[in-house]
Amino acid sequence: MPNHDLKRFYLPKFSFLFLFTQLLIMKSFTLLFFLGVTTALFAQPNNFPNVELDNLIEAKIEGLAPGVAVGIVKDGEIIYEKYIGYANLSDDIKNTAESRFNIASNAKQFTAICVLNLALEGKLSLKDDFRKYLPQFYPDIQTPILIEQLITHSSGIRDFYDLLSLEGTPWWKRVGLDNKDALKLLAAQKELNFLPGSDYAYSNSNYTLLTELVKKVSGLSFDAYSQIIFKQFGMNSTQFSTNYMEVIPHKTLPYSNWGDSRWQQYPMVVDLNGDGFLFTTLPDQLKWEQVLQTKNVPENQKQLLLSSQEKIKGVFNENYGFGIEINDYKGYPVVQHAGSTGAYGTHFLRFPSQNISIVVMGNNGNIGYTQLANKVADIVLSIKESTVEKDNYLPEDFGQQKSLGDLIGLYRSQEGEIIKIYEEEQQLIWKIHNQNQLTLLHEKGNLYSAKENKAMKVLFSGAKNKRQFTVFYPGTTPRKHKVVIEEELNPAYYSTIDGTYRNEETNTEFTLAYEKENRYKMHVFGKDRIATLLLKDELRMNGIKLRIERNLIGAISEIFVDYGRNKNIRYRRISEINLITALPTKEGGQIMVNTTATTYGKGKGDILLTKTDIKGNEEWFKIFGGKSYDKASSILNLKDGGYLIIGSTSSFGNGNYDIWLIKTDEEGKEIWNKTYGGFYNEYGYIVEEKAERYIIKGKKQVCPDNTNWEKCSNYFWVIETDKEGNEFSNTVDDLPIN
C-alpha cells in the first residue's frame, strides 16, 4: 500500500499497543509495496473484480520496465488503486503514489476550467472573439474566432506541432521550445484549416492560445493562475511544466522500446504547456474525480464544477466540451479524454450514471492507454465481449452478390482519403497508400468483414460508375466511400507537375520531379523522398496529401497540402509554367520546337521546328517567323496527324505581341497560322485538342490607356477555336497575375 494512504489509519492519540500494531501493519504494507503489489485496501463492493484487474494490469509490465498507475473512484470513494513498473530505470525507482506523470492532453480540461473561471467571474465571455484580447493573431480573417471555438476545436486554427514538422524538425528535437515559439509561428499564419465554426479538427494550438488568453485577462502567468485552481481542489502535487530543467519531485521519466528489447528515454526538452505537460500524481487525479462525483466544494465553486462537465451549446461539435469528450461507450454515457506526449500516456473515463471514474496514466510508450482504460471499464461494468460483437449495427439488406471485378477500383472517403480495392488470389484487398492492407472476407451478399478485425464490416452498393461502400463498426457512425472515376492521362501530363513550391507562413518549400510511371522525386525535409500520383492532380508522400490547383489556363498555380491535423496549407508555385517543347515520334525520335536567333530565319527571332531520329540525329527542320520577334512556347501532337505550335509573334497580328498558332503536317509543312490579340501584349503558352475545337491558353495584357504602361495588368486568357483556328469564344480570368 502506498505510503500516502497510511495516513488514513492514523489517529491523533493512541496507545503504545495501538502504535505497535500500526507499525506492524506498516511493515506488512511496505513489504507488499516493494514486492510490487500495490492494490489499495479500500472498501470495495463484495464482488469487486480486483484480482481480474490486477491480472490485466500486471500482464502489461514485465521485469525492469516503465509502468502505469490505475485508479477507480465510485460514489466519491477510491475503490481501486494500483502502481506497477518503474519511474526511473537507471536508478531502479518504482512507480508509487508520489510518482508524477505527464498526463499530456488530459491537461486540457484544466486549461479550459481556467478560462471558464474567468468567464464566470465576468472577465470575459466565451462568445468573445479571442482577438478582442489578442489582436495580433489572424488580422486578415474577417470571420469571428470565438473563445468557445478554441475550447471545442472548431476554430479552424492549425496545429503548431504539425506545422513544426513541416519545417523538417519535430517539436521534441527543439531544445527549449516554449509557448512563445508556438505563438510566434501561429502569428505568422494567414489562413485556417476551415471557416471558424464550420467544422471540427482537434488542434493543440487552440489551448496554447488559451494560455495566453488567461495570462492577458487575469494579469497572472498561466502557471500561477492554474495553481490557484489546483489548490482550490486540493491537488497539491499537480503543476504545469514551465522549464524542462526544473526539478519536479518524484517526476517519472518517459521510456519507449522500439522493438530491439532496449528501453530508451524519450527526450522531453521543451517548455510547452496548457495543451499538455501537466505533471500530476494519480492520487491528485483521483481527488479531482472524487470532487466531481461528490460536489463537496464551497458554494462559490459549484457552478464552476458543474459547468465544466456540460456541453457547450451551439458549437459545431457539442460532444467536445471543456477539454473533455462527452459521448457514449458501448451503450453507457461517458465523459472521457485521452492524452499522449512522447512516451507518456493517459486516459480517463467518467460514467455519470454509474458514478464511476477510471484513471489510467503511465510512462511506458509501448502501452495503449486507451485500450487499457477500456478493458478496465469492461471489467468494472461487466461488459462481455460477446455483447459488443453482435451485428445489430448493420442494415438488413446486403444486396445480391457482385463479382469481385465489379468491386475493385479507387474510392474516396468522406475525409478525402483514397482507398484502393483490388483483387489478389481471389480475395478483395483494402489498401490505403503506404499503410498496412486489410483482407476483406466475404460474408453474405455484398457484405465483407476485415480479416484483421471481424467487427469491421464493409458493405458495397450501387451501379458500376456510382459504386460506393459503407464501413460499419460498433459504436461509430457508418462512413461512406464513393468510387472515383480514373481519368486517362496524356503522357505529357506528368512533367507538368515538376517545379518548386513555397509556403510563406512556415517559410518552407519542396520540389517535385517526375521519375517514371506514377512516381515523383519529392525533395522535402532536406531529403529526397518518393511521392506517388494516385489520381490526376492528387499525390501522396507518406502521411502528406498533395492536391494540385490549376489556374484558368490549366497550369499549376499552387498545391494544397494536408499534413497531420492541418489541411489546405497553400504552397505557391515559384517555378516557371512547365511547357511541352518536345514530343516522341512513332519512330522513336523526337519532334522539338524552340526559339532560335537570326541565324536561320528572317527576323530577330524565329520559331524552329526540328525532327530527330532515335539516335538524336536531325532529319529535318522548319523555320516560322517574320521580320521581328517570334517565340515558341509548346507543341501539340494532333490526333489526325501533324502538329500545332503555340507561341507569340510581334511580326504579325494587331499589337506589340499577339498569340500565334501554327498548324503543320507530319513533315512540318505549314497548313495555316492564326493570330489572336489586340493593341497590347498577348502571349500563348499551351494548346489542347478537344472533339471539334482547339483550346488556347495564354496571357492577356489590359491597360487603362496607351500612355501609362505601369498601370497595365496581366490576366490569364483562354480562347476556343474551331479546327481551322477561327475564334468563337474567349474568357479572361477575374484576377490579375502580376
PDB file of all heavy atoms in Angstrom, residues 581-583 585 589-594 596 600 607-613 616-624 635 643 645 667-668:
ATOM      1  N   THR A 581       7.875  21.181 -74.986  1.00  0.00           N
ATOM      2  CA  THR A 581       8.614  21.627 -76.172  1.00  0.00           C
ATOM      3  C   THR A 581       9.166  20.459 -76.987  1.00  0.00           C
ATOM      4  O   THR A 581       9.804  20.685 -78.008  1.00  0.00           O
ATOM      5  CB  THR A 581       9.772  22.549 -75.759  1.00  0.00           C
ATOM      6  OG1 THR A 581      10.629  21.837 -74.859  1.00  0.00           O
ATOM      7  CG2 THR A 581       9.249  23.807 -75.082  1.00  0.00           C
ATOM      8  N   ALA A 582       8.939  19.221 -76.523  1.00  0.00           N
ATOM      9  CA  ALA A 582       9.426  18.056 -77.267  1.00  0.00           C
ATOM     10  C   ALA A 582       8.434  16.910 -77.103  1.00  0.00           C
ATOM     11  O   ALA A 582       7.881  16.704 -76.012  1.00  0.00           O
ATOM     12  CB  ALA A 582      10.803  17.639 -76.778  1.00  0.00           C
ATOM     13  N   LEU A 583       8.205  16.181 -78.202  1.00  0.00           N
ATOM     14  CA  LEU A 583       7.297  15.040 -78.192  1.00  0.00           C
ATOM     15  C   LEU A 583       7.983  13.841 -78.847  1.00  0.00           C
ATOM     16  O   LEU A 583       8.773  14.011 -79.785  1.00  0.00           O
ATOM     17  CB  LEU A 583       6.017  15.360 -78.969  1.00  0.00           C
ATOM     18  CG  LEU A 583       5.113  16.460 -78.410  1.00  0.00           C
ATOM     19  CD1 LEU A 583       4.038  16.790 -79.434  1.00  0.00           C
ATOM     20  CD2 LEU A 583       4.487  16.034 -77.091  1.00  0.00           C
ATOM     21  N   THR A 585       8.325  10.708 -81.354  1.00  0.00           N
ATOM     22  CA  THR A 585       7.743  10.326 -82.643  1.00  0.00           C
ATOM     23  C   THR A 585       7.487   8.826 -82.674  1.00  0.00           C
ATOM     24  O   THR A 585       7.991   8.079 -81.821  1.00  0.00           O
ATOM     25  CB  THR A 585       8.688  10.705 -83.798  1.00  0.00           C
ATOM     26  OG1 THR A 585       9.902   9.943 -83.670  1.00  0.00           O
ATOM     27  CG2 THR A 585       9.002  12.182 -83.777  1.00  0.00           C
ATOM     28  N   GLY A 589      12.185   8.800 -82.366  1.00  0.00           N
ATOM     29  CA  GLY A 589      12.926  10.049 -82.268  1.00  0.00           C
ATOM     30  C   GLY A 589      12.120  11.105 -81.535  1.00  0.00           C
ATOM     31  O   GLY A 589      11.277  10.786 -80.695  1.00  0.00           O
ATOM     32  N   GLN A 590      12.359  12.381 -81.871  1.00  0.00           N
ATOM     33  CA  GLN A 590      11.649  13.481 -81.229  1.00  0.00           C
ATOM     34  C   GLN A 590      11.286  14.541 -82.256  1.00  0.00           C
ATOM     35  O   GLN A 590      11.964  14.711 -83.275  1.00  0.00           O
ATOM     36  CB  GLN A 590      12.514  14.124 -80.137  1.00  0.00           C
ATOM     37  CG  GLN A 590      12.567  13.348 -78.834  1.00  0.00           C
ATOM     38  CD  GLN A 590      13.209  14.163 -77.730  1.00  0.00           C
ATOM     39  OE1 GLN A 590      14.217  14.835 -77.954  1.00  0.00           O
ATOM     40  NE2 GLN A 590      12.629  14.128 -76.558  1.00  0.00           N
ATOM     41  N   ILE A 591      10.195  15.253 -81.967  1.00  0.00           N
ATOM     42  CA  ILE A 591       9.862  16.473 -82.686  1.00  0.00           C
ATOM     43  C   ILE A 591       9.955  17.594 -81.671  1.00  0.00           C
ATOM     44  O   ILE A 591       9.357  17.528 -80.603  1.00  0.00           O
ATOM     45  CB  ILE A 591       8.462  16.397 -83.348  1.00  0.00           C
ATOM     46  CG1 ILE A 591       8.252  17.579 -84.277  1.00  0.00           C
ATOM     47  CG2 ILE A 591       7.362  16.247 -82.337  1.00  0.00           C
ATOM     48  CD1 ILE A 591       8.833  17.361 -85.648  1.00  0.00           C
ATOM     49  N   MET A 592      10.768  18.612 -81.949  1.00  0.00           N
ATOM     50  CA  MET A 592      11.075  19.638 -80.955  1.00  0.00           C
ATOM     51  C   MET A 592      10.789  21.017 -81.520  1.00  0.00           C
ATOM     52  O   MET A 592      10.989  21.269 -82.714  1.00  0.00           O
ATOM     53  CB  MET A 592      12.550  19.565 -80.545  1.00  0.00           C
ATOM     54  CG  MET A 592      12.951  18.256 -79.898  1.00  0.00           C
ATOM     55  SD  MET A 592      14.711  18.207 -79.511  1.00  0.00           S
ATOM     56  CE  MET A 592      15.409  18.107 -81.169  1.00  0.00           C
ATOM     57  N   VAL A 593      10.324  21.917 -80.639  1.00  0.00           N
ATOM     58  CA  VAL A 593      10.099  23.296 -81.029  1.00  0.00           C
ATOM     59  C   VAL A 593      10.796  24.205 -80.032  1.00  0.00           C
ATOM     60  O   VAL A 593      10.795  23.947 -78.824  1.00  0.00           O
ATOM     61  CB  VAL A 593       8.591  23.613 -81.109  1.00  0.00           C
ATOM     62  CG1 VAL A 593       7.940  23.543 -79.731  1.00  0.00           C
ATOM     63  CG2 VAL A 593       8.357  24.977 -81.735  1.00  0.00           C
ATOM     64  N   ASN A 594      11.448  25.246 -80.532  1.00  0.00           N
ATOM     65  CA  ASN A 594      12.057  26.251 -79.666  1.00  0.00           C
ATOM     66  C   ASN A 594      12.255  27.533 -80.441  1.00  0.00           C
ATOM     67  O   ASN A 594      11.891  27.633 -81.622  1.00  0.00           O
ATOM     68  CB  ASN A 594      13.369  25.749 -79.051  1.00  0.00           C
ATOM     69  CG  ASN A 594      14.307  25.193 -80.085  1.00  0.00           C
ATOM     70  OD1 ASN A 594      14.562  25.841 -81.104  1.00  0.00           O
ATOM     71  ND2 ASN A 594      14.801  23.974 -79.860  1.00  0.00           N
ATOM     72  N   THR A 596      14.741  30.381 -81.987  1.00  0.00           N
ATOM     73  CA  THR A 596      16.115  30.484 -82.478  1.00  0.00           C
ATOM     74  C   THR A 596      16.464  31.934 -82.775  1.00  0.00           C
ATOM     75  O   THR A 596      15.581  32.780 -82.964  1.00  0.00           O
ATOM     76  CB  THR A 596      16.309  29.640 -83.752  1.00  0.00           C
ATOM     77  OG1 THR A 596      17.670  29.724 -84.168  1.00  0.00           O
ATOM     78  CG2 THR A 596      15.419  30.134 -84.892  1.00  0.00           C
ATOM     79  N   TYR A 600      19.028  31.349 -88.658  1.00  0.00           N
ATOM     80  CA  TYR A 600      18.285  30.556 -89.641  1.00  0.00           C
ATOM     81  C   TYR A 600      17.193  31.361 -90.344  1.00  0.00           C
ATOM     82  O   TYR A 600      16.896  31.143 -91.502  1.00  0.00           O
ATOM     83  CB  TYR A 600      17.635  29.346 -88.959  1.00  0.00           C
ATOM     84  CG  TYR A 600      18.632  28.388 -88.357  1.00  0.00           C
ATOM     85  CD1 TYR A 600      18.919  28.422 -87.002  1.00  0.00           C
ATOM     86  CD2 TYR A 600      19.273  27.449 -89.153  1.00  0.00           C
ATOM     87  CE1 TYR A 600      19.826  27.540 -86.450  1.00  0.00           C
ATOM     88  CE2 TYR A 600      20.186  26.562 -88.612  1.00  0.00           C
ATOM     89  CZ  TYR A 600      20.459  26.614 -87.242  1.00  0.00           C
ATOM     90  OH  TYR A 600      21.349  25.743 -86.701  1.00  0.00           O
ATOM     91  N   ILE A 607      10.768  30.817 -84.859  1.00  0.00           N
ATOM     92  CA  ILE A 607      10.397  29.525 -84.288  1.00  0.00           C
ATOM     93  C   ILE A 607      11.050  28.427 -85.119  1.00  0.00           C
ATOM     94  O   ILE A 607      10.940  28.416 -86.351  1.00  0.00           O
ATOM     95  CB  ILE A 607       8.867  29.361 -84.270  1.00  0.00           C
ATOM     96  CG1 ILE A 607       8.239  30.362 -83.285  1.00  0.00           C
ATOM     97  CG2 ILE A 607       8.477  27.932 -83.883  1.00  0.00           C
ATOM     98  CD1 ILE A 607       6.727  30.382 -83.296  1.00  0.00           C
ATOM     99  N   LEU A 608      11.735  27.513 -84.418  1.00  0.00           N
ATOM    100  CA  LEU A 608      12.447  26.418 -85.075  1.00  0.00           C
ATOM    101  C   LEU A 608      11.768  25.097 -84.717  1.00  0.00           C
ATOM    102  O   LEU A 608      11.614  24.763 -83.545  1.00  0.00           O
ATOM    103  CB  LEU A 608      13.908  26.385 -84.618  1.00  0.00           C
ATOM    104  CG  LEU A 608      14.764  25.203 -85.097  1.00  0.00           C
ATOM    105  CD1 LEU A 608      14.932  25.235 -86.617  1.00  0.00           C
ATOM    106  CD2 LEU A 608      16.123  25.214 -84.403  1.00  0.00           C
ATOM    107  N   LEU A 609      11.338  24.342 -85.737  1.00  0.00           N
ATOM    108  CA  LEU A 609      10.744  23.019 -85.554  1.00  0.00           C
ATOM    109  C   LEU A 609      11.725  21.989 -86.102  1.00  0.00           C
ATOM    110  O   LEU A 609      12.127  22.069 -87.266  1.00  0.00           O
ATOM    111  CB  LEU A 609       9.411  22.923 -86.289  1.00  0.00           C
ATOM    112  CG  LEU A 609       8.652  21.598 -86.171  1.00  0.00           C
ATOM    113  CD1 LEU A 609       8.180  21.366 -84.740  1.00  0.00           C
ATOM    114  CD2 LEU A 609       7.465  21.570 -87.135  1.00  0.00           C
ATOM    115  N   THR A 610      12.117  21.018 -85.263  1.00  0.00           N
ATOM    116  CA  THR A 610      13.155  20.057 -85.647  1.00  0.00           C
ATOM    117  C   THR A 610      12.674  18.642 -85.376  1.00  0.00           C
ATOM    118  O   THR A 610      12.077  18.364 -84.331  1.00  0.00           O
ATOM    119  CB  THR A 610      14.448  20.298 -84.845  1.00  0.00           C
ATOM    120  OG1 THR A 610      14.819  21.664 -84.946  1.00  0.00           O
ATOM    121  CG2 THR A 610      15.578  19.430 -85.362  1.00  0.00           C
ATOM    122  N   LYS A 611      12.991  17.715 -86.314  1.00  0.00           N
ATOM    123  CA  LYS A 611      12.712  16.307 -86.103  1.00  0.00           C
ATOM    124  C   LYS A 611      14.034  15.552 -86.064  1.00  0.00           C
ATOM    125  O   LYS A 611      14.918  15.791 -86.891  1.00  0.00           O
ATOM    126  CB  LYS A 611      11.838  15.739 -87.220  1.00  0.00           C
ATOM    127  CG  LYS A 611      11.457  14.264 -86.984  1.00  0.00           C
ATOM    128  CD  LYS A 611      10.585  13.714 -88.096  1.00  0.00           C
ATOM    129  CE  LYS A 611      10.219  12.248 -87.810  1.00  0.00           C
ATOM    130  NZ  LYS A 611       9.429  11.645 -88.908  1.00  0.00           N
ATOM    131  N   THR A 612      14.181  14.629 -85.090  1.00  0.00           N
ATOM    132  CA  THR A 612      15.392  13.815 -84.971  1.00  0.00           C
ATOM    133  C   THR A 612      15.030  12.346 -85.059  1.00  0.00           C
ATOM    134  O   THR A 612      13.872  11.950 -84.822  1.00  0.00           O
ATOM    135  CB  THR A 612      16.119  14.074 -83.643  1.00  0.00           C
ATOM    136  OG1 THR A 612      15.312  13.596 -82.574  1.00  0.00           O
ATOM    137  CG2 THR A 612      16.409  15.558 -83.444  1.00  0.00           C
ATOM    138  N   ASP A 613      16.048  11.509 -85.338  1.00  0.00           N
ATOM    139  CA  ASP A 613      15.827  10.064 -85.330  1.00  0.00           C
ATOM    140  C   ASP A 613      16.071   9.521 -83.936  1.00  0.00           C
ATOM    141  O   ASP A 613      16.311  10.274 -82.991  1.00  0.00           O
ATOM    142  CB  ASP A 613      16.707   9.373 -86.371  1.00  0.00           C
ATOM    143  CG  ASP A 613      18.200   9.560 -86.107  1.00  0.00           C
ATOM    144  OD1 ASP A 613      18.577   9.901 -84.962  1.00  0.00           O
ATOM    145  OD2 ASP A 613      18.989   9.361 -87.055  1.00  0.00           O
ATOM    146  N   GLY A 616      19.084  10.754 -82.137  1.00  0.00           N
ATOM    147  CA  GLY A 616      19.218  12.187 -81.923  1.00  0.00           C
ATOM    148  C   GLY A 616      19.745  12.939 -83.124  1.00  0.00           C
ATOM    149  O   GLY A 616      19.980  14.152 -83.042  1.00  0.00           O
ATOM    150  N   ASN A 617      19.928  12.264 -84.242  1.00  0.00           N
ATOM    151  CA  ASN A 617      20.400  12.940 -85.456  1.00  0.00           C
ATOM    152  C   ASN A 617      19.248  13.693 -86.117  1.00  0.00           C
ATOM    153  O   ASN A 617      18.131  13.180 -86.232  1.00  0.00           O
ATOM    154  CB  ASN A 617      20.968  11.923 -86.448  1.00  0.00           C
ATOM    155  CG  ASN A 617      22.140  11.159 -85.851  1.00  0.00           C
ATOM    156  OD1 ASN A 617      23.048  11.762 -85.284  1.00  0.00           O
ATOM    157  ND2 ASN A 617      22.128   9.830 -85.980  1.00  0.00           N
ATOM    158  N   GLU A 618      19.525  14.903 -86.579  1.00  0.00           N
ATOM    159  CA  GLU A 618      18.496  15.727 -87.203  1.00  0.00           C
ATOM    160  C   GLU A 618      18.068  15.134 -88.545  1.00  0.00           C
ATOM    161  O   GLU A 618      18.889  14.801 -89.393  1.00  0.00           O
ATOM    162  CB  GLU A 618      19.021  17.143 -87.411  1.00  0.00           C
ATOM    163  CG  GLU A 618      18.010  18.084 -88.038  1.00  0.00           C
ATOM    164  CD  GLU A 618      18.568  19.474 -88.256  1.00  0.00           C
ATOM    165  OE1 GLU A 618      18.838  20.162 -87.243  1.00  0.00           O
ATOM    166  OE2 GLU A 618      18.761  19.848 -89.425  1.00  0.00           O
ATOM    167  N   GLU A 619      16.734  15.003 -88.734  1.00  0.00           N
ATOM    168  CA  GLU A 619      16.196  14.544 -90.013  1.00  0.00           C
ATOM    169  C   GLU A 619      15.755  15.718 -90.883  1.00  0.00           C
ATOM    170  O   GLU A 619      15.960  15.729 -92.090  1.00  0.00           O
ATOM    171  CB  GLU A 619      15.028  13.583 -89.782  1.00  0.00           C
ATOM    172  CG  GLU A 619      15.442  12.257 -89.147  1.00  0.00           C
ATOM    173  CD  GLU A 619      14.288  11.262 -89.097  1.00  0.00           C
ATOM    174  OE1 GLU A 619      13.139  11.626 -89.481  1.00  0.00           O
ATOM    175  OE2 GLU A 619      14.520  10.112 -88.675  1.00  0.00           O
ATOM    176  N   TRP A 620      15.120  16.713 -90.285  1.00  0.00           N
ATOM    177  CA  TRP A 620      14.755  17.940 -90.993  1.00  0.00           C
ATOM    178  C   TRP A 620      14.432  19.033 -89.981  1.00  0.00           C
ATOM    179  O   TRP A 620      14.247  18.763 -88.789  1.00  0.00           O
ATOM    180  CB  TRP A 620      13.582  17.725 -91.955  1.00  0.00           C
ATOM    181  CG  TRP A 620      12.328  17.089 -91.391  1.00  0.00           C
ATOM    182  CD1 TRP A 620      11.914  15.818 -91.603  1.00  0.00           C
ATOM    183  CD2 TRP A 620      11.321  17.701 -90.564  1.00  0.00           C
ATOM    184  NE1 TRP A 620      10.714  15.574 -90.965  1.00  0.00           N
ATOM    185  CE2 TRP A 620      10.325  16.729 -90.330  1.00  0.00           C
ATOM    186  CE3 TRP A 620      11.147  18.970 -90.014  1.00  0.00           C
ATOM    187  CZ2 TRP A 620       9.189  16.982 -89.552  1.00  0.00           C
ATOM    188  CZ3 TRP A 620      10.027  19.236 -89.250  1.00  0.00           C
ATOM    189  CH2 TRP A 620       9.059  18.234 -89.016  1.00  0.00           C
ATOM    190  N   PHE A 621      14.367  20.275 -90.436  1.00  0.00           N
ATOM    191  CA  PHE A 621      13.937  21.389 -89.602  1.00  0.00           C
ATOM    192  C   PHE A 621      13.145  22.376 -90.450  1.00  0.00           C
ATOM    193  O   PHE A 621      13.307  22.441 -91.675  1.00  0.00           O
ATOM    194  CB  PHE A 621      15.116  22.077 -88.913  1.00  0.00           C
ATOM    195  CG  PHE A 621      15.983  22.904 -89.825  1.00  0.00           C
ATOM    196  CD1 PHE A 621      15.687  24.241 -90.073  1.00  0.00           C
ATOM    197  CD2 PHE A 621      17.097  22.351 -90.446  1.00  0.00           C
ATOM    198  CE1 PHE A 621      16.481  25.008 -90.909  1.00  0.00           C
ATOM    199  CE2 PHE A 621      17.895  23.102 -91.284  1.00  0.00           C
ATOM    200  CZ  PHE A 621      17.595  24.447 -91.526  1.00  0.00           C
ATOM    201  N   LYS A 622      12.277  23.143 -89.797  1.00  0.00           N
ATOM    202  CA  LYS A 622      11.472  24.169 -90.445  1.00  0.00           C
ATOM    203  C   LYS A 622      11.553  25.458 -89.619  1.00  0.00           C
ATOM    204  O   LYS A 622      11.636  25.415 -88.386  1.00  0.00           O
ATOM    205  CB  LYS A 622      10.002  23.742 -90.559  1.00  0.00           C
ATOM    206  CG  LYS A 622       9.772  22.433 -91.309  1.00  0.00           C
ATOM    207  CD  LYS A 622      10.056  22.569 -92.795  1.00  0.00           C
ATOM    208  CE  LYS A 622       9.773  21.246 -93.515  1.00  0.00           C
ATOM    209  NZ  LYS A 622      10.062  21.336 -94.965  1.00  0.00           N
ATOM    210  N   ILE A 623      11.496  26.605 -90.327  1.00  0.00           N
ATOM    211  CA  ILE A 623      11.558  27.919 -89.679  1.00  0.00           C
ATOM    212  C   ILE A 623      10.234  28.644 -89.915  1.00  0.00           C
ATOM    213  O   ILE A 623       9.692  28.639 -91.031  1.00  0.00           O
ATOM    214  CB  ILE A 623      12.712  28.763 -90.252  1.00  0.00           C
ATOM    215  CG1 ILE A 623      14.052  28.084 -90.008  1.00  0.00           C
ATOM    216  CG2 ILE A 623      12.697  30.165 -89.635  1.00  0.00           C
ATOM    217  CD1 ILE A 623      14.472  28.046 -88.570  1.00  0.00           C
ATOM    218  N   PHE A 624       9.716  29.285 -88.830  1.00  0.00           N
ATOM    219  CA  PHE A 624       8.497  30.086 -88.924  1.00  0.00           C
ATOM    220  C   PHE A 624       8.772  31.446 -88.285  1.00  0.00           C
ATOM    221  O   PHE A 624       9.268  31.509 -87.153  1.00  0.00           O
ATOM    222  CB  PHE A 624       7.331  29.404 -88.199  1.00  0.00           C
ATOM    223  CG  PHE A 624       7.107  27.976 -88.628  1.00  0.00           C
ATOM    224  CD1 PHE A 624       7.718  26.927 -87.946  1.00  0.00           C
ATOM    225  CD2 PHE A 624       6.311  27.682 -89.721  1.00  0.00           C
ATOM    226  CE1 PHE A 624       7.515  25.614 -88.332  1.00  0.00           C
ATOM    227  CE2 PHE A 624       6.110  26.361 -90.120  1.00  0.00           C
ATOM    228  CZ  PHE A 624       6.707  25.328 -89.432  1.00  0.00           C
ATOM    229  N   ILE A 635       4.284  22.576 -78.096  1.00  0.00           N
ATOM    230  CA  ILE A 635       3.840  21.870 -79.295  1.00  0.00           C
ATOM    231  C   ILE A 635       2.855  20.782 -78.899  1.00  0.00           C
ATOM    232  O   ILE A 635       2.961  20.193 -77.818  1.00  0.00           O
ATOM    233  CB  ILE A 635       5.047  21.280 -80.065  1.00  0.00           C
ATOM    234  CG1 ILE A 635       4.588  20.654 -81.389  1.00  0.00           C
ATOM    235  CG2 ILE A 635       5.807  20.282 -79.205  1.00  0.00           C
ATOM    236  CD1 ILE A 635       5.752  20.271 -82.298  1.00  0.00           C
ATOM    237  N   TYR A 643       0.977  18.755 -86.378  1.00  0.00           N
ATOM    238  CA  TYR A 643       1.299  19.398 -85.105  1.00  0.00           C
ATOM    239  C   TYR A 643       0.657  20.768 -85.021  1.00  0.00           C
ATOM    240  O   TYR A 643       0.388  21.418 -86.040  1.00  0.00           O
ATOM    241  CB  TYR A 643       2.816  19.543 -84.960  1.00  0.00           C
ATOM    242  CG  TYR A 643       3.557  18.239 -85.118  1.00  0.00           C
ATOM    243  CD1 TYR A 643       4.163  17.903 -86.338  1.00  0.00           C
ATOM    244  CD2 TYR A 643       3.630  17.330 -84.070  1.00  0.00           C
ATOM    245  CE1 TYR A 643       4.829  16.703 -86.494  1.00  0.00           C
ATOM    246  CE2 TYR A 643       4.292  16.119 -84.214  1.00  0.00           C
ATOM    247  CZ  TYR A 643       4.886  15.808 -85.440  1.00  0.00           C
ATOM    248  OH  TYR A 643       5.532  14.610 -85.594  1.00  0.00           O
ATOM    249  N   ILE A 645       1.669  24.355 -83.137  1.00  0.00           N
ATOM    250  CA  ILE A 645       2.702  25.095 -82.405  1.00  0.00           C
ATOM    251  C   ILE A 645       2.050  26.341 -81.833  1.00  0.00           C
ATOM    252  O   ILE A 645       1.369  27.087 -82.555  1.00  0.00           O
ATOM    253  CB  ILE A 645       3.864  25.484 -83.340  1.00  0.00           C
ATOM    254  CG1 ILE A 645       4.499  24.236 -83.966  1.00  0.00           C
ATOM    255  CG2 ILE A 645       4.912  26.288 -82.572  1.00  0.00           C
ATOM    256  CD1 ILE A 645       5.464  24.550 -85.095  1.00  0.00           C
ATOM    257  N   GLU A 667       5.290  16.431 -91.703  1.00  0.00           N
ATOM    258  CA  GLU A 667       6.630  16.775 -92.178  1.00  0.00           C
ATOM    259  C   GLU A 667       6.999  18.214 -91.841  1.00  0.00           C
ATOM    260  O   GLU A 667       8.027  18.719 -92.303  1.00  0.00           O
ATOM    261  CB  GLU A 667       6.705  16.562 -93.698  1.00  0.00           C
ATOM    262  CG  GLU A 667       6.433  15.128 -94.134  1.00  0.00           C
ATOM    263  CD  GLU A 667       7.394  14.144 -93.493  1.00  0.00           C
ATOM    264  OE1 GLU A 667       8.601  14.455 -93.420  1.00  0.00           O
ATOM    265  OE2 GLU A 667       6.940  13.063 -93.052  1.00  0.00           O
ATOM    266  N   GLY A 668       6.156  18.870 -91.050  1.00  0.00           N
ATOM    267  CA  GLY A 668       6.461  20.227 -90.617  1.00  0.00           C
ATOM    268  C   GLY A 668       6.054  21.304 -91.590  1.00  0.00           C
ATOM    269  O   GLY A 668       6.369  22.495 -91.379  1.00  0.00           O
TER     270      GLY A 668
END
